[in-house]
């Protein structure tokens, strides 16, 4: 069996369906997701995962009804503030990927920055929350930054390109868990998931718990990763 | 800290290191006593008017504190030439301050009786500080100290004729002025009720606005209450200042506690070290800056935690101004941080004079360079007034400024930049070298400058000055010079 994945990403899918099945408003599903998030962070840390990424809000999610988006913004702010001391105490470095849209309330971006500043020196595990994130946008931004830096076309390599992505120290994703049985990428960290293994548990995100997470890790560990013939050392940033 | 006058006066003994003044230099009680003395000075109608009109102490209190301190140290220097030069500089500085107050009464910072009063408040402050701390001075010491303060006044004014010769007569003089001349001036209200509540953070703590605001919310009102309680009773009655239960106890407790530091080993509390440390900012080239950077990071984290722990509900952010970012500031920010040096919400001549004063102080200018600098600023003021004062009230409001920013870089401003260049370029080499740069900005060349040349040419200097003054670029070396508190 192979080792525990270094970088695990979760696409937190199924909150709305979870609420609908219980005849609750969709917002109730988002609220229920909070428990799972905390549970998974603890489970990942305990299992020895070094990098955990959560897909909280995509650039496409802005198309949802305004009231739901508003609710999400308030919910996220409450969750961030509620768990900030805990995340600090557990030594989890938090950062937020994306967060570029002016529609995000200023207080929320402030809290994101505060939490990132607060935990910047923590070394236990790095939690990347993709919020207002789009994989293509990151690639476009990296291209822009590359052009601005005046790099000649011949010199552009994959490694150099990756250095211009946001949080360039993030290693490649080893395992993506997408809950609720949906099997799509949905514009999530496109560059970093190039060689990722994917698992699609049937559980909806609010029902997903630590044992399910560990089961996914187990599935990963039994898989034969071949990287399309590329030697496995290319996995992630050596640093 | 007060008008320049007190600056000057802050310290006394032009004579030897064992003078009475010297013993107070590092006494923490002196900080409380200085605030009290400042209030008593400001209560004098002449000083109050000069302060309200000319002083930058509301908007830039820490800069004023440092300038006052440096000036005091010079007046205290062992070399008589240094003392004379400083006295002459202070006299020139005060000669530029005159005008009339809100009720049309004229004031003049060179008025001899007024200057005597400033020295009197400092002497009285030193005596009262010891009394309130529970260790009154004996008669001999008091007399010796009084002689020192009179000598100090004489160094400034030629003679000390305005102050009684004898300490016993001094108290009669002091009580008479308190009872008959002092008023509840605008300047007193500003110091007691506005300065402490809005005190901007010094450079050292500028990175932690939340912490600073939290600490200030507690300490500000306390300082106000302590100061009010320590003022002479007749003045409190006349000025209608509040009597708060427990305030006298608090005040005596504060003086007593500050006095306890005398049991600390010698050298533990050093005013100069403290003041210089307040001015450290992480990007300076001082070796201590690295420690400050670490400290800043800690404070930032503490502020972040504090903000995250604050219960939700007050969603309004205190300073949306920061949102502009990107190395530029809005016209409003620039107006308040740089142009409105006196902090009264308007731009008029005293604001620009305060800038000229700060630059002249930094560069340690003598005549005639000092006058050239002032003249250049005066011409700029006329240009600004002509271009921006649309409602014709003789001063420029923030709105008038914001409406007409582009016209700010006229020929007179370029002239200011050129005069400033000449004044900075002491050796007349046509370029500013590293030492000259340090004199003006107190920091070494920035990296981007250092890469091309080891000096700073005229056109680059003028260009940078203009882009600071009109392009409103932040993160220039001018920020600590004119924008910091």
């Amino acid at each position: 069996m192979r080792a525990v994945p270094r970088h695990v990403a979760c696409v937190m899918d199924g909150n709305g369906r979870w609420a609908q099945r219980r005849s609750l408003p969709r917002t109730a599903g988002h609220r229920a997701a909070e428990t799972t998030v905390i549970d998974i962070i603890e489970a990942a840390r305990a299992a020895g995962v070094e990098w955990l990424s959560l897909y909280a809000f995509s650039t496409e999610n802005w198309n949802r009804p305004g009231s739901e988006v508003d609710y999400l913004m308030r919910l996220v702010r409450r969750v961030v503030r509620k768990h900030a001391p805990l995340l600090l105490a557990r030594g989890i470095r938090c950062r937020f990927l994306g967060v570029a849209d002016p529609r995000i309330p200023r207080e929320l971006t402030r809290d994101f920055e505060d939490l990132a500043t607060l935990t910047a020196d923590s070394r236990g595990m790095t939690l990347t929350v993709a919020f207002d994130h789009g994989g293509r946008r990151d690639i476009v931004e990296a291209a822009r930054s590359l052009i601005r830096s005046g790099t000649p076309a011949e010199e552009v390599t994959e490694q150099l390109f990756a250095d211009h992505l946001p949080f360039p120290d993030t290693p490649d994703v080893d395992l993506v868990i997408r809950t609720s049985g949906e099997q799509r990428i949905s514009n999530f960290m496109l560059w970093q998931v190039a060689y990722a293994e994917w698992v699609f548990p049937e559980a909806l995100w609010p029902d997903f718990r630590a044992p399910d997470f560990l089961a996914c890790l187990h599935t990963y560990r039994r898989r034969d990763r071949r990287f399309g013939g590329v030697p496995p050392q290319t996995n992630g940033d050596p640093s | 800290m007060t008008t320049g006058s007190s600056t000057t006066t802050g310290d006394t003994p032009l004579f030897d290191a064992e003078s009475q003044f010297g013993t107070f230099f590092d006494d923490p009680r002196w900080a409380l006593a200085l605030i009290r003395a400042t209030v008593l000075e400001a209560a004098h109608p002449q000083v109050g008017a000069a302060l309200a009109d000319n002083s930058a102490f509301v908007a830039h209190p820490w800069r004023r504190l440092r300038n006052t301190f440096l000036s005091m140290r010079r007046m205290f220097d062992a070399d008589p030439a240094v003392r004379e030069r400083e006295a002459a500089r202070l006299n020139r500085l005060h000669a530029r301050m005159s005008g009339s107050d809100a009720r049309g009464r004229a004031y003049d910072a060179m008025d001899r009786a007024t200057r005597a009063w400033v020295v009197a408040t400092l002497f009285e402050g030193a005596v009262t500080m010891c009394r309130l701390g529970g260790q009154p001075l004996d008669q001999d010491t008091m007399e010796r100290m009084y002689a020192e303060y009179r000598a100090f006044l004489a160094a400034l004014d030629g003679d000390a004729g305005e102050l009684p010769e004898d300490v016993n007569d001094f108290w009669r003089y002091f009580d008479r002025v308190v009872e008959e001349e002092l008023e509840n001036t605008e300047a007193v209200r500003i110091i007691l009720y506005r300065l402490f509540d809005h005190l901007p953070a010094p450079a050292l703590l500028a990175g932690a606005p939340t912490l600073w605001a939290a600490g200030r919310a507690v300490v500000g009102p306390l300082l106000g209450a302590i100061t009010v309680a320590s003022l002479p009773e007749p003045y409190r009655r006349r000025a209608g200042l509040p009597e708060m239960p427990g305030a006298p106890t608090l005040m005596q407790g504060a003086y007593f506690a500050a006095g306890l530091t005398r049991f600390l080993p010698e050298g533990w509390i050093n005013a100069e070290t403290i003041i210089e440390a307040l001015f450290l900012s992480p990007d300076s080239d001082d070796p201590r800056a690295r420690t400050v950077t670490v400290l800043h990071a800690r404070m930032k984290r503490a502020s972040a935690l504090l903000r995250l722990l604050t219960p939700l509900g007050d969603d309004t952010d205190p300073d949306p101004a920061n949102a502009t970012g990107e190395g530029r500031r809005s016209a409003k920010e620039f107006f308040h941080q740089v142009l409105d040096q006196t902090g009264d919400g308007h731009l008029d001549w005293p604001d620009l004079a305060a800038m000229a004063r700060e630059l002249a102080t930094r560069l340690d200018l003598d005549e005639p360079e000092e006058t050239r600098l002032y003249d250049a600023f005066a011409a700029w003021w006329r240009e600004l007034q002509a271009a921006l004062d649309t409602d014709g009230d003789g001063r420029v409001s923030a709105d008038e400024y914001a409406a007409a920013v582009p016209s700010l870089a006229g020929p007179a401003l370029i002239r200011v930049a050129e005069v400033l260049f000449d004044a900075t370029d002491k050796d007349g080499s046509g370029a500013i070298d590293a030492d000259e740069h340090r004199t003006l900005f107190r920091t070494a060349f920035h990296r981007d400058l250092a890469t091309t040349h080891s000096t700073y040419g005229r056109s680059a200097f003028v260009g940078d000055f203009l882009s600071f003054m009109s392009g409103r670029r932040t993160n220039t070396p001018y920020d600590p010079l004119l924008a910091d508190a």
Side-chain angles (χ1 to χ4, degrees):
Chain A
M1 287 224 300
R2 60 180 57 256
V4 171
R6 188 166 169 222
H7 185 173
V8 178
C10 297
V11 180
M12 309 189 284
D13 211 354
N15 295 342
R17 265 164 291 158
W18 182 88
Q20 266 162 8
R21 279 186 201 166
R22 287 165 178 72
S23 303
L24 294 168
R26 286 177 60 84
T27 50
H30 297 308
R31 202 166 55 219
E34 176 189 343
T35 318
T36 308
V37 168
I38 301 305
D39 208 28
I40 298 309
I41 292 174
E42 275 304 321
R45 193 178 170 281
V49 173
E50 291 168 47
W51 299 74
L52 178 68
S53 298
L54 299 176
Y55 200 7
F57 194 85
S58 76
T59 44
E60 290 74 24
N61 288 152
W62 289 108
N63 299 328
R64 294 190 181 176
S67 58
E68 187 180 332
V69 170
D70 281 352
Y71 181 84
L72 264 174
M73 296 292 161
R74 267 179 290 133
L75 176 75
V76 170
R77 180 153 193 240
R78 210 167 46 76
V79 170
V80 163
R81 298 174 68 99
K82 181 166 150 193
H83 296 287
L86 196 75
L87 291 167
L88 175 67
R90 300 296 276 147
I92 294 168
R93 173 167 68 151
C94 304
R95 38 198 208 179
F96 294 85
L97 179 65
V99 201
D101 199 291
R103 282 173 289 184
I104 303 173
R106 254 178 52 72
E107 303 84 51
L108 183 58
T109 26
R110 176 67 164 281
D111 286 352
F112 285 168
E113 285 164 18
D114 281 346
L115 183 57
T117 313
L118 185 66
T119 59
D121 284 351
S122 299
R123 286 294 173 266
M125 177 175 82
T126 300
L127 171 68
T128 307
V129 178
F131 193 91
D132 179 39
H133 160 81
R136 284 186 173 177
R137 187 173 66 187
D138 284 356
I139 293 175
V140 170
E141 282 302 321
R144 284 190 183 148
S145 146
L146 206 58
I147 293 167
R148 264 189 238 112
S149 72
T151 315
E154 317 76 60
E155 286 180 19
V156 178
T157 61
E158 288 190 11
Q159 185 55 50
L160 187 68
F161 190 91
D163 288 342
H164 287 263
L165 289 164
F167 301 132
D169 58 340
T170 310
D172 276 359
V173 177
D174 298 308
L175 169 66
V176 184
I177 301 169
R178 178 157 192 159
T179 53
S180 86
E182 297 290 338
Q183 305 193 352
R184 288 187 297 270
I185 295 185
S186 301
N187 200 11
F188 176 61
M189 293 181 100
L190 291 180
W191 182 275
Q192 293 91 339
V193 299
Y195 293 104
E197 297 291 326
W198 290 70
V199 294
F200 303 101
E202 289 298 320
L204 303 177
W205 180 255
D207 291 329
F208 193 71
R209 281 293 177 273
D212 307 299
F213 181 78
L214 295 176
C216 294
L217 293 193
H218 193 70
T219 311
Y220 166 86
R221 295 179 68 187
R222 284 190 322 195
R223 285 206 185 156
D224 179 21
R225 298 185 78 192
R226 283 190 303 253
F227 300 98
V230 181
Q233 288 90 303
T234 54
N235 165 22
D237 192 300
S239 68
Chain B
M1 46 184 285
T2 80
T3 75
S5 2
S6 68
T7 301
T8 81
T9 35
D11 286 29
T12 67
L14 315 156
F15 306 113
D16 57 83
E18 282 97 55
S19 67
Q20 282 307 313
F21 181 78
T23 58
F24 294 140
F25 215 52
D26 295 331
D27 189 331
R29 287 176 301 178
W30 188 234
L32 292 172
L34 257 188
I35 298 174
R36 178 177 174 281
T38 306
V39 172
L40 285 175
E41 285 159 27
H44 193 284
Q46 290 249 343
V47 185
L51 263 178
D53 268 9
N54 294 291
S55 180
F57 79 101
V58 174
H60 306 273
W62 301 102
R63 195 177 81 195
R64 152 119 245 110
L65 175 70
R66 179 184 174 141
N67 286 346
T68 303
F69 178 79
L70 292 176
S71 172
M72 278 170 17
R73 211 177 49 181
R74 282 198 207 123
M75 288 304 281
F76 189 56
D77 199 281
D79 179 357
V82 173
R83 298 196 305 254
E84 274 164 34
R85 190 153 172 272
E86 182 62 15
R89 192 185 72 82
L90 290 170
N91 280 331
R92 286 201 307 274
L93 187 147
H94 290 122
R96 295 182 202 279
M97 291 179 189
S98 59
S100 55
D101 69 6
R103 285 193 244 158
R105 292 176 298 189
Y107 70 82
D108 178 0
M110 291 300 277
D111 180 72
R112 285 170 53 89
T114 313
R115 290 166 66 135
W117 172 245
V118 171
V119 176
T121 59
L122 290 165
F123 168 70
E124 193 268 348
V127 173
T128 306
M129 150 184 124
C130 295
R131 227 163 34 81
L132 292 175
Q135 313 160 267
L137 297 174
D138 60 57
Q139 193 63 26
D140 275 359
T141 316
M142 212 192 303
E143 274 170 21
R144 221 172 33 236
M145 190 161 81
Y146 185 63
E148 285 173 6
Y149 276 94
R150 287 192 82 233
F152 176 71
L153 179 61
L156 281 176
D157 252 3
D159 67 72
E162 293 289 333
L163 281 183
E165 272 183 37
D166 186 76
V167 187
N168 296 319
D169 297 329
F170 171 80
W171 294 114
R172 268 197 295 283
Y173 156 82
F174 186 84
D175 291 342
R176 183 186 62 73
V177 177
V178 168
E179 279 173 34
E180 292 172 15
E181 292 189 28
L182 297 194
E183 294 173 8
N184 185 5
T185 60
E186 176 71 26
V188 168
R189 287 192 295 273
I190 290 176
I191 295 173
L192 288 180
Y193 302 117
R194 201 163 131 217
L195 181 59
F196 295 144
D197 291 351
H198 300 272
L199 194 64
L204 178 67
L205 298 168
T210 314
L211 279 190
W212 177 256
R216 183 180 58 188
V218 177
V219 177
L222 274 182
L223 270 181
I226 290 172
T227 308
V228 169
S230 68
L231 293 172
E233 220 281 286
Y235 177 69
R236 285 208 304 262
R237 199 173 49 226
R238 265 167 62 92
L241 296 175
E243 298 282 344
M244 293 207 290
T249 316
L250 175 69
M251 179 268 292
Q252 278 161 8
Y255 274 91
F256 182 74
L260 289 180
T261 52
R262 69 182 179 278
F263 296 116
L264 289 176
E266 198 156 331
W268 268 38
I269 298 206
N270 182 313
E272 180 167 5
T273 318
I274 295 171
I275 290 180
E276 290 301 324
L278 285 178
F279 278 85
L280 277 180
S281 66
D283 52 351
S284 87
D285 59 338
D286 190 294
R288 287 171 298 174
R290 202 164 309 155
T291 317
V292 174
T293 312
V294 174
L295 193 66
H296 257 250
R298 289 254 174 88
M299 286 192 303
K300 256 177 121 156
R301 223 163 295 149
S303 310
L305 183 60
L306 194 66
R307 275 196 298 269
L308 287 169
L309 290 178
T310 316
L312 284 179
D314 51 338
D315 278 4
T316 50
D317 199 290
D319 50 351
N322 290 340
T324 55
E326 304 302 313
R328 292 181 75 80
R329 44 183 138 215
S330 72
K332 238 194 165 69
E333 274 178 282
F334 185 74
F335 186 88
H336 291 295
Q337 287 177 4
V338 178
L339 293 176
D340 183 16
Q341 294 272 316
T342 57
D344 61 357
H346 290 276
L347 174 62
D348 48 14
W349 167 240
D351 294 310
L352 297 194
M355 278 188 223
R357 198 160 64 226
E358 177 60 23
L359 291 168
T361 307
R362 282 264 176 130
L363 295 169
D364 204 13
L365 294 185
D366 274 321
E367 293 294 5
E369 286 85 2
E370 192 182 273
T371 304
R372 281 185 65 206
L373 187 66
Y374 271 90
D375 288 348
F377 268 93
W380 183 34
W381 167 236
R382 283 191 294 275
E383 183 181 272
L384 278 178
Q385 206 178 13
L388 303 184
D389 181 20
T390 43
D391 63 3
D393 65 351
R395 47 191 199 173
V396 177
S397 68
D399 291 340
E400 287 172 338
Y401 172 75
V405 196
S407 60
L408 195 62
L413 181 60
I414 297 172
R415 174 90 190 121
V416 170
E418 285 175 343
V419 170
L420 183 60
F421 180 84
D422 291 339
T424 309
D425 180 21
K426 298 241 186 225
D427 58 5
S429 62
I432 290 172
D433 61 32
D435 284 344
E436 291 163 349
H437 190 275
R438 187 181 295 276
T439 310
L440 180 59
F441 298 116
R442 294 210 183 101
T443 173
F445 284 126
H446 266 242
R447 264 153 298 176
D448 51 338
L449 278 173
T451 48
T452 46
H453 302 288
S454 58
T455 56
Y456 194 11
R458 175 182 290 264
S459 58
F461 182 90
V462 171
D464 283 353
F465 185 79
L466 292 184
S467 82
F468 174 73
M469 281 296 183
S470 58
R472 315 195 300 269
R473 219 176 51 183
T474 58
N475 292 327
T476 69
Y478 291 101
D479 268 300
L481 184 57
L482 294 173
D484 278 5

